[in-house]
Amino acid sequence: MVTQATTTRPYLREADRRRHLLDATLRLVARRGIEAVTMSAVAREAGVSRRLVYDHFADLSSLHEAFLDDRVRQYGALVDATIDASSPPAARAVAMLGRALTLPREELRIARMLVAGTGSADLDRARARFRRHVVARWFARRRPGDEETAAALVWAMAAAILTVADQVDRGELTVPSAERVVRALVADPEERPARP
């Protein structure tokens, strides 16, 4: 009698299995972008059946939303741990650059996707939540004023910080140069260095 070797996946509690599936989604997004995420692709990446993926996420939109919510929570925690709202804006920006430089390349790519957006409804909802979180943390002790302009400036700074981090990652800028660039972006016009 010939017996077939079977591979059994280990039993995981529901929360652990969900985490396993979100981690598989992260690996897919890191390699090929969010467009590559399908229920079948996540099942293959996680080494589980497609049915199991559907047991945790009703449809692809639910999976995307859960993945993006997970990233927003993780990046929000990084922002909370990094920004001291009582420090000067340039110090906050340099601290955020330092944090961005600690992210693996794949995470940096996903953070840029969240900041830039792609037009998908799932991404836009997650992006809006992340934007509110970053702006609220940046201005934790700010006096009321022109909130719309201030929020737009903070979000533009977030995009700029990620762009500068990409330049460091590609070897186009050194860390000290990147810090000078970020400080110059935050500085008042009178404080900016003169053009060469």
Side-chain angles (χ1 to χ4, degrees):
M1 179 174 181
V2 177
T3 59
Q4 290 183 346
T6 59
T7 58
T8 59
R9 62 180 179 261
Y11 174 78
L12 295 175
R13 292 184 317 222
E14 184 174 344
D16 294 335
R17 178 62 68 192
R18 186 176 173 88
R19 174 82 265 146
H20 178 71
L21 295 171
L22 291 174
D23 289 345
T25 304
L26 173 62
R27 292 190 301 273
L28 279 171
V29 172
R31 281 197 316 269
R32 300 187 347 229
I34 199 156
E35 303 81 23
V37 174
T38 64
M39 301 301 256
S40 295
V42 170
R44 275 191 305 279
E45 183 71 27
V48 300
S49 70
R50 198 171 67 159
R51 178 72 248 157
L52 192 135
V53 177
Y54 277 104
D55 287 345
H56 290 272
F57 307 101
D59 53 27
L60 187 58
S61 182
S62 298
L63 174 60
H64 281 172
E65 190 167 349
F67 170 73
L68 292 167
D69 282 346
D70 183 60
R71 300 324 310 150
V72 166
R73 272 191 303 280
Q74 294 207 19
Y75 298 150
L78 288 175
V79 168
D80 291 348
T82 304
I83 293 179
D84 174 3
S86 65
S87 64
R92 284 181 258 168
V94 169
M96 284 308 302
L97 172 65
R99 182 63 74 170
L101 293 174
T102 67
L103 293 176
R105 181 176 286 162
E106 301 79 28
E107 288 283 356
L108 191 57
R109 214 175 290 132
I110 294 167
R112 282 190 55 69
M113 177 188 72
L114 255 178
V115 171
T118 64
S120 85
D122 299 330
L123 182 57
D124 289 344
R125 284 190 298 274
R127 181 176 178 255
R129 284 189 298 277
F130 187 49
R131 180 180 172 152
R132 283 191 302 272
H133 184 91
V134 170
V135 169
R137 182 67 181 147
W138 188 273
F139 291 124
R141 293 191 174 100
R142 187 175 177 280
R143 289 183 215 105
D146 186 0
E147 283 83 11
E148 183 180 18
T149 301
L153 286 170
V154 168
W155 201 241
M157 179 55 60
I161 288 169
L162 292 171
T163 298
V164 171
D166 283 339
Q167 291 175 330
V168 171
D169 185 55
R170 290 191 304 265
E172 298 168 5
L173 276 176
T174 64
V175 172
S177 294
E179 289 174 353
R180 284 192 297 276
V181 168
V182 169
R183 279 190 193 97
L185 288 169
V186 176
D188 287 333
E190 295 81 33
E191 297 174 15
R192 288 196 178 120
R195 286 189 170 165

